[in-house]
Amino acid sequence: MILGSLRARLLGWLLLPLTVFVCISGIMSLQNARSTANLLQDNALISSMRIIGEDIDWDNGEIVVQIPPAALELFESPERDNVFYKIVDGHNRLLAGNPDLPLPDTFSSTPAFYDAVLNDGRRVRAAVYVRQLFDSGRVENVTVAVAKTEFSRDAMVAAQWRPQLIRLVLMLLLAMLLVYFGLTFELRPLMKLKDDVSDRAPSQLQPIRAERLHFELRPIVDAINQCISRMSLQAATQRQFISDAAHQLRTPLTLLDTQIQFARQRPSEDEQLAEALAGMHKSSRKMAVLTSKLLLLAHTESSQPGRGEECVDLSAAISGVLGDLVAFAQQKDIDLGAEISDDMCVAGDETLMTALLTNLVDNALRYTQRGGWVTVTAQRSGASAVVQVIDNGPGISAEARSRVFERFYRASADTEGSGLGLSIVREIANRHGGTVRLTPGKRGVGLLATVTMRLWCDPASAVAEEKGR
Ligand SMILES: Nc1ncnc2c1ncn2[C@@H]1O[C@H](COP(=O)(O)OP(=O)(O)OP(=O)(O)O)[C@@H](O)[C@H]1O
Ligand SMILES: [Mg+2]
């Protein structure tokens, strides 16, 4: 998952060299801190060793060693280091100090430094030199060695190195944070592009706008746009084919209908022929309805959303549809009524709006049993108009409700129909920026179809309102 993320990979590529840089800088500053601390420690060892060495003298032919307090006070520190010294004569006899302190194999009058381990395992840093003592022709080589544990040196290294390490780590964290936010910010156009492509409805085939995108992304967007334009051409060709086919079918179908009607009017004794002619008449009517629905669907799909919108008087449109279907309602003895709270105008195409309402009311009347009721309501809700068609028919099961908007899907085979009505309703609602929802009716009886659409906003008054602000 992380390896597949472009952000994580870019972050990795940027942070890898930064981390290497921080590690190398950390090691270098540790070495610097160590050499500074060593230098200071070695200087203190030399000073102490010389102070001790200068105080060694002859007394009545004997070598006398006195340790001046200043020689040891040099090493005083809060870490309380242990200090050792060892003074031996030319015959390697101990004159003073700690016999455990080991001496290096070779040393001379020039001070030398070495690291040693005491018998009890303590590690020490030591300095050693040889002082020649002269007394009436006698020469004695006295070796002076001073050593100390390394607590104060380690403390000094830590005190110098730790702030630098903290600074480097903070720098790395800050860089990580900045790079993360920078990448998130810079990848926003890419995420927007992804949303733009994935949130599109199948019918949304306008090209993606590339102006605000980084120029690295433009070739991708151009390629997507080329693909969209090919798909759009293909979809338009298909729609045109369906529309042409439906249109071409209309004339022969009308002719066929007229011919069948003519044949039925001819006096005939043959009952079977009359029955066959009645069946042919029914089928030709069905085909005529189907072709006109296909034409309507093709017309809806090819209409540009928002283009050619006009103010559609909702109460007039509902009254017109109810007027057309009242005879059908009377045939089935269904109480068809309307409750329209306000005069409302919705933004859209009048023919398509009428088709939407007709399909919903037609469904309600068609599927509701004899003696039922169907009510159409329309009311304002904010900037939208909400139209509801309610009936007390059989309703649609939850499973079928999720499929009834598919083309040619029919939930029941008892009544005739092509299964295109609700697809047309949804297509029209979407074209007008609206929505359609099917839910069970009151107390779970019947069906409630709710269509929400934008109220008409007069462009001239909208401009005036905008200027007034
Ligand atoms: N008010 C309703 N009550 C019960 N069932 C309904 C209602 N409206 C639609 N349906 C069910 O949903 C199915 C799909 O409806 P749709 O309007 O798309 O197609 P149709 O009515 O079968 O055919 P047509 O294309 O002639 O409208 C119908 O077959 C019907 O079973
Ligand atoms: Mg229908």
Side-chain angles (χ1 to χ4, degrees), residues 73-344:
E73 280 164 8
L74 270 176
F75 298 110
E76 268 177 14
S77 74
E79 284 73 30
R80 299 187 175 277
D81 269 313
N82 298 115
V83 182
F84 310 91
Y85 57 90
K86 182 177 186 180
I87 299 152
V88 290
D89 64 11
H91 307 288
N92 221 8
R93 277 195 305 254
L94 183 72
L95 298 175
N98 190 332
D100 279 353
L101 182 63
L103 292 174
D105 298 336
T106 52
F107 45 88
S108 64
S109 56
T110 315
F113 300 98
Y114 63 100
D115 295 308
V117 181
L118 300 182
N119 286 348
D120 58 8
R122 276 182 289 180
R123 289 176 60 245
V124 290
R125 175 81 175 162
V128 64
Y129 90 123
V130 178
R131 185 180 167 203
Q132 290 188 321
L133 287 178
F134 299 94
D135 183 39
S136 31
R138 256 178 84 192
V139 182
E140 186 70 43
N141 285 336
V142 179
T143 304
V144 181
V146 179
K148 74 181 260 297
T149 48
E150 297 191 294
F151 304 133
S152 59
R153 187 205 76 132
D154 291 348
M156 199 188 295
V157 171
Q160 278 189 38
W161 186 57
R162 207 171 288 147
Q164 292 197 36
L165 189 71
I166 291 172
R167 213 173 302 140
L168 284 168
V169 171
L170 282 179
M171 202 182 81
L172 184 68
L173 289 178
L174 188 70
M176 268 169 87
L177 216 65
L178 283 177
V179 170
Y180 178 82
F181 284 118
L183 279 176
T184 308
F185 185 75
E186 291 303 325
L187 287 176
R188 266 199 336 211
L190 196 64
M191 295 299 135
K192 205 181 153 298
L193 177 66
K194 185 211 91 193
D195 293 343
D196 198 1
V197 175
S198 57
D199 292 352
R200 279 182 172 226
S203 57
Q204 229 181 322
L205 292 172
Q206 309 92 315
I208 296 168
R209 294 177 61 181
E211 301 97 67
R212 292 200 188 152
L213 289 173
H214 304 311
F215 66 81
E216 287 90 347
L217 288 178
R218 292 198 187 157
I220 301 171
V221 174
D222 287 345
I224 297 174
N225 280 343
Q226 278 172 19
C227 181
I228 288 178
S229 88
R230 284 197 295 271
M231 281 162 58
S232 165
L233 192 70
Q234 170 82 2
T237 315
Q238 273 182 10
R239 272 199 306 269
Q240 193 57 43
F241 174 76
I242 295 170
S243 166
D244 288 350
H247 194 72
Q248 293 296 324
L249 277 170
R250 262 177 142 188
T251 321
L253 275 174
T254 318
L255 209 62
L256 183 69
D257 196 50
T258 321
Q259 286 163 343
I260 294 169
Q261 281 195 50
F262 177 72
R264 287 181 75 194
Q265 280 161 13
R266 302 293 300 162
S268 165
E269 301 287 301
D270 191 338
E271 272 188 25
Q272 283 184 337
L273 179 67
E275 234 174 71
L277 282 173
M280 280 167 78
H281 184 234
K282 208 172 153 194
S283 301
S284 75
R285 278 283 158 87
K286 264 174 82 178
M287 274 167 77
V289 172
L290 177 64
T291 42
S292 63
K293 289 215 165 174
L294 277 173
L295 250 179
L296 181 61
L297 192 60
H299 172 60
T300 313
E301 285 179 345
S302 60
S303 65
Q304 290 283 326
R307 180 165 303 169
E309 273 184 355
E310 53 185 342
C311 164
V312 182
D313 184 345
L314 201 55
S315 35
I318 293 172
S319 306
V321 170
L322 295 193
D324 289 345
L325 292 170
V326 72
F328 182 30
Q330 278 168 0
Q331 254 179 40
K332 285 188 75 178
D333 196 17
I334 288 177
D335 178 9
L336 177 62
E339 287 169 20
I340 301 168
S341 59
D342 280 313
D343 276 350
M344 276 178 282

Side-chain angles (χ1 to χ4, degrees), residues 1-9:
M1 177 72 182
I2 287 193
L3 284 179
S5 152
L6 181 63
R7 191 199 327 230
R9 291 181 77 95

Side-chain angles (χ1 to χ4, degrees), residues 293 359 362-363 366-367 421-422:
K293 289 215 165 174
N359 270 296
D362 175 71
N363 274 354
R366 194 180 293 263
Y367 299 107
L422 288 177

Side-chain angles (χ1 to χ4, degrees), residues 293 363 367 391 395-396 404 409-412 417-422 447:
K293 289 215 165 174
N363 274 354
Y367 299 107
D391 62 57
I396 308 179
V404 283
Y409 178 83
R410 305 209 62 235
S412 68
S418 56
L420 286 176
L422 288 177
L447 188 76

Side-chain angles (χ1 to χ4, degrees), residues 289-290 293 358-368 374 389-397 400-401 403-425 438 446-449:
V289 172
L290 177 64
K293 289 215 165 174
T358 306
N359 270 296
L360 288 178
V361 181
D362 175 71
N363 274 354
L365 292 174
R366 194 180 293 263
Y367 299 107
T368 298
V374 173
V389 181
I390 318 153
D391 62 57
N392 69 340
I396 308 179
S397 67
R401 263 206 309 274
R403 297 200 57 198
V404 283
F405 289 108
E406 291 171 17
R407 287 173 200 176
F408 300 110
Y409 178 83
R410 305 209 62 235
S412 68
D414 307 343
T415 346
E416 279 183 359
S418 56
L420 286 176
L422 288 177
S423 331
I424 293 172
V425 168
L438 297 180
L447 188 76
L448 166 62

